[in-house]
């Protein structure tokens, strides 16, 4: 069924070469495959550059620069940084904390239960007072 293939071996797929009219996977050496892959990567980089996007290294460098700028900003304005951190902590706590007031659903349920208890107590007093024991 499945054959063991070594690294760099061709993967069979129905390729039709329109120049020569052959069907199948053309024979390529590892060097040709690497060259082909490099050409594809360079073409993708060119396309990204034309679109105004940067490559992976530039994005990583931009992230490092942004973290350095954030650190410099925190050193220059420690009070604002502290207020921002406190605000973020307060937002997280407010989002995760349970409310101090009961929800309307629980108060309605408590009202219903209290009403049922009152009615049962009235019935109990009425029948116990009448001699039914």
């Amino acid at each position: 069924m499945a054959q063991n293939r070594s690294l760099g071996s061709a993967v069979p797929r129905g390729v039709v070469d329109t120049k020569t009219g052959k069907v199948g996977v053309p024979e390529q050496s590892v060097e040709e495959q690497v060259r082909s892959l490099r050409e594809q990567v360079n073409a993708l980089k060119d396309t990204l550059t034309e679109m105004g996007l940067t490559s992976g290294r530039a994005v990583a460098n931009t992230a490092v620069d942004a973290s350095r700028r954030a650190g410099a900003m925190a050193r220059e304005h420690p009070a604002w940084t502290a207020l921002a951190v406190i605000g973020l902590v307060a937002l997280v706590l407010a989002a995760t904390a349970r409310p101090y007031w009961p929800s309307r659903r629980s108060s309605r349920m408590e009202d219903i239960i209290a009403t049922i208890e009152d009615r049962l107590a009235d019935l109990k007093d009425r029948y116990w007072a009448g001699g039914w024991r």
Side-chain angles (χ1 to χ4, degrees):
M1 290 196 167
Q3 298 175 353
N4 291 336
R5 298 205 177 266
S6 63
L7 223 98
S9 63
V11 178
R13 54 190 160 152
V15 177
V16 177
D17 187 6
T18 56
K19 293 180 183 176
T20 61
K22 293 183 180 179
V23 177
V25 179
E27 293 293 322
Q28 281 186 340
S29 67
V30 175
E31 291 84 14
E32 290 175 350
Q33 290 177 359
V34 170
R35 188 178 331 113
S36 172
L37 289 173
R38 284 188 180 150
E39 288 173 1
Q40 291 175 11
V41 168
N42 289 334
L44 285 173
K45 282 183 182 179
D46 293 341
T47 304
L48 287 174
T49 314
E50 289 172 5
M51 293 173 62
L53 302 173
T54 55
S55 66
R57 287 187 190 149
V59 170
N61 291 339
T62 304
V64 170
D65 291 340
S67 66
R68 287 181 186 153
R69 281 182 275 157
M73 180 71 80
R75 283 189 296 277
E76 290 175 14
H77 306 287
W80 288 110
T81 304
L83 284 174
V85 169
I86 290 170
L88 287 174
V89 169
L91 283 174
V92 168
L93 289 177
T96 58
R98 299 186 77 191
Y100 293 112
W101 60 90
S103 66
R104 292 189 56 80
R105 175 177 285 167
S106 65
S107 65
R108 286 181 187 166
M109 291 302 289
E110 290 172 1
D111 290 344
I112 292 170
I113 292 171
T115 303
I116 291 172
E117 287 175 345
D118 290 341
R119 288 184 183 176
L120 286 174
D122 289 343
L123 285 174
K124 181 180 168 186
D125 291 341
R126 191 180 308 165
Y127 287 114
W128 281 79
W132 291 41
R133 297 185 184 200

